Amino acid sequence: MAELIVYRSNALMSVRSRIDATRDVVMPVNLAYAESMVGLWHSGLPQVSLVPATATDAQVWPVMSAVGTRIHDTADDNCPINTGWSYVGGNHGYNVGNQITVTNHGKTTADVGSQWSDGTRIFTLLAVTSASSLLFGNPYTIVDGIAQGARVRPAAPLTHVSGATNRTTVPITGLTPDVQIRPATHSHTVAVELDGRPVPDGRSTGRELVIRESYLIPTYQGMIDTARARVGTPIATIMPQLPSLCRISNEYRWSPGGSLIVAQTVTALSRFTLNAGVTQCGPLTPVAGGTRRQFMPNVGVAGGLNWSVWANIDTLAALTDFTPATLRDRLMPASSMTQWVVNGGGVQQWGIAVGLLPVADGTPRIRVRYTTAKGWFISSSLKKNYPQLVWGRTLAAGESVTGTAYRRYLAPPSTATEIVVSADGADFVVIERVGTVAQAEMAAPQLFHRLLVPVGPTNLDVPDRVTIDGIPYAVPVSPGYGTWRAEPDQVASGPLPGATVPRGSYFLVRSGPTLSRACTYQRLLLHPVFLAEPTPVDRACVEVTVAGTGVLRHGVYAHDPATGRPAVLGPIADFGTVAVTSVGVRESVLVAPVVLPAGWHWYAHVWQVSGTTPPAVRVSGVGAATTLNLGAGAAAMTGDRFGYEVTGTTGALGAITITGVHQFPPPQVAYRRA
């Protein structure tokens, strides 16, 4: 079954497709989940389930029968946003309400919007939820021009301040704090298409199911202020009249093989601080006596677990943040995970791969700027994964953040995550693997002869193009990972320096006349370099022209387009050191190939260890044609300027603080193409 079967009854849907030779995966969809949102759950299919390929329609719809095996609870997987103090949107409301149970309280709609005090704070009656229950909204504060709700509970019985008809004091003995205030969204729209056509009730087949939704979230300040200004009018009846915080636009795309793409755009309509992750993923359903194992590329130890191997998430003791300090490469925030359920004997049962694609605000160079606090986190209670597109980014009215995530169910046996994900008009190849392997191959017949362009760091040995047999690759260092965009193989107008030379060939990053220049001790000097295409290299060479003491360390830093300077969090690669005690070409042999990015990057070098006798190296007599941000003063113009410097650099390359510009011409650097 190389297609989707879509079952629909009004707002409820189930999506079925083949996952292996004998089984189908069935995924629930609800067009009217909490507050009419699109949700990934309905009562007839409480979990994503595996069924025999021979199962009849009646066995899976409208209620999943005993023929199915439940593998994943997705009831809470439609993704809200976070304002820094509350989740809202998706199936969430602002969590700053206090629900108070008071038998026969006597208050009515006429009292909604009235204000009450515990002697310290003012609380607003937002709803009379029943004859024995009241919902109060907490006060808000203004911090840096942004309203923030407070998660506080009344400290004493609430006495009337203003607005109420029934002014009887409200006791707090029946208090439930941190209640979500609903509704917290309005103006929902939803559209459903299967291969571009509307989806009727009943059974339909096709290749791609697309659901688009949009809704508005009001500001919390607007909810409170409007309720107070319009006493007696429940805000639920006038939501479109409230000031808006933002608009949420979501797109869900299901395709054969248990694949779901989720795209989300958050457009600010008022200034606020955003945390957003596009998707979230509850843990897979375990089997008796089994465990759930998870691997995350580029992540080391966090929460007491080593994520570069198959970590047992059932032992995760506390909420775990994946910050830059937990990453092996700080320029690549945690972007994906693979999780498997294994039985007591360690045999795989079912799996899922989840990640953010490197498009829009999800590209590593953008995410690294906005996820310095955390790029991913996992809750301890539910073991739920939350990738973060941005964390703590303040948006002005009119600004947007856009990201795209993938979710793919996996069938055993599997030694590696090898998937093709299609989104935003592009095809992405994702390869992630624990353990080294000299030669492996990923099947990808649909991408034959497409050009593979790296869109993030990789430590795999992968060819330029997809062969008729697939994508051969090697993992020299565990864990191996990489993501590539598969582009049409277009004939270039001419050879591009460095990018198109054969493997094993050396190339210079610049040509022309050369000079010799003595090094300065412990000054890390950064020079701009341009390449026409992403280029994998496995060796880097410089020439020592005058012998000295110590060593020369060199490497590459990424370019930060926001500043026009080197990215400061850390290098793309530290090539290590070469000896300078004798003259000649000195070569660094890399443990794993490094992909030099297309466009600008920064070559860095520093003389270290012994500052007795300065060595000299071959440098370009031409310089580099690029702009340098020199600051407001004129002093930086008084002499040759070739790049930026960092003083006092000892040991391995790491995060940097630029201390000025330098007068050292760019070294003559040669690379060997991997």
Side-chain angles (χ1 to χ4, degrees):
M1 181 178 65
E3 62 183 2
L4 299 176
I5 298 176
V6 178
Y7 307 97
R8 180 176 184 179
S9 176
N10 295 319
L12 304 185
M13 307 173 70
S14 290
V15 183
R16 178 179 181 179
S17 67
R18 185 64 45 82
I19 193 171
D20 61 21
T22 62
R23 296 181 298 176
D24 295 345
V25 60
V26 188
M27 298 179 282
V29 188
N30 192 336
L31 303 180
Y33 193 40
E35 302 178 19
S36 300
M37 306 283 180
V38 172
L40 305 180
W41 178 91
H42 66 72
S43 57
L45 183 60
Q47 290 196 24
V48 175
S49 298
L50 294 178
V51 301
T54 55
T56 65
D57 294 336
Q59 288 176 305
V60 303
W61 176 260
V63 176
M64 177 64 67
S65 69
V67 72
T69 300
R70 298 181 179 186
I71 67 168
H72 194 200
D73 184 354
T74 54
D76 198 39
D77 277 9
N78 58 329
C79 201
I81 63 168
N82 185 284
T83 63
W85 54 271
S86 176
Y87 284 97
V88 66
N91 58 343
H92 289 255
Y94 289 115
N95 64 346
V96 287
N98 280 291
Q99 191 89 32
I100 303 179
T101 299
V102 184
T103 303
N104 299 322
H105 53 66
K107 292 178 173 48
T108 67
T109 298
D111 300 303
V112 171
S114 57
Q115 299 178 49
W116 302 76
S117 174
D118 68 348
T120 303
R121 307 176 184 87
I122 301 297
F123 297 82
T124 304
L125 181 60
L126 290 182
V128 178
T129 53
S130 74
S132 60
S133 181
L134 301 170
L135 177 64
F136 288 87
N138 292 356
Y140 64 81
T141 57
I142 306 296
V143 179
D144 192 25
I146 299 174
Q148 298 182 0
R151 295 181 68 178
V152 296
R153 62 181 69 190
L158 296 175
T159 59
H160 179 255
V161 175
S162 66
T165 300
N166 183 317
R167 302 177 180 180
T168 305
T169 296
V170 179
I172 60 172
T173 52
L175 175 67
T176 301
D178 303 334
V179 171
Q180 295 186 33
I181 299 170
R182 292 193 173 97
T185 62
H186 64 89
S187 302
H188 301 89
T189 64
V190 63
V192 184
E193 293 181 343
L194 181 62
D195 296 345
R197 303 185 303 275
V199 180
D201 281 358
R203 181 186 191 273
S204 303
T205 60
R207 293 290 302 173
E208 184 177 63
L209 174 68
V210 180
I211 299 177
R212 299 180 180 90
E213 71 169 342
S214 175
Y215 56 86
L216 293 173
I217 298 175
T219 66
Y220 181 68
Q221 178 182 6
M223 294 175 72
I224 298 300
D225 290 353
T226 302
R228 291 176 175 180
R230 301 184 62 172
V231 173
T233 304
I235 59 172
T237 65
I238 55 171
M239 294 290 283
Q241 300 176 36
L242 273 57
S244 293
L245 180 78
C246 63
R247 177 181 294 279
I248 305 294
S249 299
N250 294 326
E251 181 179 274
Y252 301 85
R253 290 181 177 267
W254 286 263
S255 56
S259 178
L260 170 60
I261 301 294
V262 184
Q264 184 177 75
T265 297
V266 181
T267 303
L269 301 176
S270 299
R271 184 170 178 266
F272 79 106
T273 299
L274 174 67
N275 306 326
V278 183
T279 193
Q280 55 184 332
C281 182
L284 294 172
T285 303
V287 296
T291 57
R292 290 169 287 196
R293 305 282 174 164
Q294 183 167 313
F295 159 62
M296 300 181 69
N298 193 46
V299 178
V301 175
L305 298 179
N306 182 3
W307 302 90
S308 64
V309 295
W310 291 106
N312 181 358
I313 66 169
D314 295 319
T315 65
L316 190 67
L319 184 148
T320 299
D321 292 335
F322 295 87
T323 65
T326 67
L327 305 177
R328 295 186 168 192
D329 181 346
R330 294 193 175 198
L331 294 178
M332 189 184 110
S335 58
S336 61
M337 71 86 171
T338 298
Q339 185 180 123
W340 280 95
V341 168
V342 298
N343 65 15
V347 178
Q348 295 171 333
Q349 303 297 298
W350 44 79
I352 190 171
V354 175
L356 289 171
L357 288 175
V359 298
D361 292 290
T363 57
R365 67 178 179 82
I366 295 178
R367 280 190 69 216
V368 75
R369 295 173 56 195
Y370 296 113
T371 56
T372 54
K374 67 176 76 177
W376 193 293
F377 67 97
I378 302 178
S379 64
S380 59
S381 58
L382 297 176
K383 309 297 190 294
K384 181 187 286 189
N385 284 266
Y386 294 81
Q388 294 302 307
L389 189 69
V390 295
W391 187 272
R393 179 177 176 179
T394 298
L395 301 180
E399 287 187 311
S400 295
V401 167
T402 297
T404 301
Y406 64 87
R407 299 160 65 99
R408 176 76 61 83
Y409 290 100
L410 307 172
S414 173
T415 56
T417 301
E418 301 171 349
I419 58 177
V420 176
V421 182
S422 299
D424 293 348
D427 296 317
F428 296 92
V429 173
V430 178
I431 302 176
E432 298 167 354
R433 185 170 184 140
V434 175
T436 60
V437 61
Q439 188 63 53
E441 193 159 63
M442 170 183 171
Q446 71 274 40
L447 303 180
F448 173 55
H449 215 262
R450 297 272 286 277
L451 183 67
L452 293 176
V453 178
V455 287
T458 177
N459 62 352
L460 302 181
D461 184 6
V462 175
D464 294 336
R465 289 163 178 80
V466 182
T467 72
I468 194 169
D469 294 321
I471 303 173
Y473 68 92
V475 183
V477 178
S478 179
Y481 55 86
T483 302
W484 298 261
R485 187 174 59 251
E487 295 186 343
D489 185 14
Q490 299 177 347
V491 178
S493 58
L496 298 174
T500 54
V501 297
R503 287 185 177 189
S505 297
Y506 290 83
F507 64 94
L508 292 170
V509 295
R510 57 174 53 87
S511 58
T514 63
L515 308 168
S516 179
R517 180 63 63 90
C519 299
T520 304
Y521 193 55
Q522 293 183 353
R523 288 174 64 202
L524 179 68
L525 308 179
L526 298 112
H527 303 267
V529 177
F530 184 86
L531 285 178
E533 291 182 2
T535 308
V537 300
D538 57 11
R539 299 189 182 192
C541 308
V542 293
E543 183 186 357
V544 178
T545 54
V546 176
T549 56
V551 298
L552 186 75
R553 181 179 293 275
H554 60 154
V556 170
Y557 282 77
H559 178 69
D560 185 350
T563 64
R565 294 185 171 198
V568 299
L569 288 180
I572 294 174
D574 184 336
F575 298 151
T577 61
V578 294
V580 294
T581 52
S582 61
V583 298
V585 174
R586 298 290 174 260
E587 182 175 70
S588 294
V589 179
L590 311 186
V591 175
V594 171
V595 177
L596 301 179
W600 293 102
H601 66 270
W602 296 80
Y603 173 78
H605 63 102
V606 55
W607 172 34
Q608 296 178 330
V609 177
S610 172
T612 304
T613 305
V617 296
R618 183 77 62 194
V619 299
S620 172
V622 179
T626 186
T627 57
L628 292 176
N629 294 340
L630 300 178
M637 295 180 61
T638 59
D640 299 336
R641 302 299 174 191
F642 294 104
Y644 300 102
E645 73 174 14
V646 180
T647 56
T649 302
T650 61
L653 302 183
I656 58 175
T657 300
I658 294 172
T659 53
V661 290
H662 65 75
Q663 295 180 287
F664 197 98
Q668 190 77 319
V669 181
Y671 293 106
R672 191 178 81 165
R673 194 179 192 286

